[in-house]
Amino acid sequence: MSGIVISPEGGERLQRESRHHRVLCELPALEVVELSFGPEFEGVDPHTHADHTDCFFVLAGEAEFTVEGETVRAGPGAFVATPIGTVHGFRNAGDRELRLLNIHAPTTGFVERMRPR
């Protein structure tokens, strides 16, 4: 397998309702997706994963993350990692687009489930 290089305009683009996402990497050990949410996005309720670590790097906007019952606001440059079994959720806490780099390790089919059927 060779390396992956994605240009700023590259990657697979997925449209989901008012949201759009860009797949940057889909390997057995790693999935990376740029997630974009408008201000109307209500968020992802607290949940856990039994099979992968879920990480977020804030690229633009402001997020509110809930991790193990604690809520923190996070702007560009902030990083959140939630290992297997960690209760977590997030929402757009600002009045403009929220962009996150979302990393799953290992791959568990998140990108595949996002694709239109």
Side-chain angles (χ1 to χ4, degrees), residues 14-21 35-43 92 97-98:
L14 302 173
Q15 186 71 35
R16 296 187 72 197
E17 299 151 11
S18 64
R19 306 177 292 224
H20 61 279
H21 308 309
L35 303 174
S36 299
F37 303 100
E40 73 288 344
F41 177 66
E42 293 183 12
N92 185 344
E97 183 179 66
L98 171 64

Side-chain angles (χ1 to χ4, degrees), residues 29-109:
L30 180 71
E31 283 178 309
V32 181
V33 181
E34 180 183 340
L35 303 174
S36 299
F37 303 100
E40 73 288 344
F41 177 66
E42 293 183 12
V44 175
D45 290 333
H47 62 284
T48 65
H49 300 288
D51 54 3
H52 69 278
T53 295
D54 200 1
C55 301
F56 304 88
F57 182 80
V58 180
L59 298 168
E62 188 169 12
E64 185 175 270
F65 288 96
T66 301
V67 179
E68 295 290 345
E70 184 176 332
T71 301
V72 296
R73 289 179 81 92
F79 178 75
V80 174
T82 58
I84 290 172
T86 302
V87 178
H88 65 284
F90 69 91
R91 70 178 192 86
N92 185 344
D95 58 0
R96 58 188 179 114
E97 183 179 66
L98 171 64
R99 288 181 35 243
L100 302 170
L101 191 63
N102 184 211
I103 304 162
H104 298 160
T107 295
T108 60

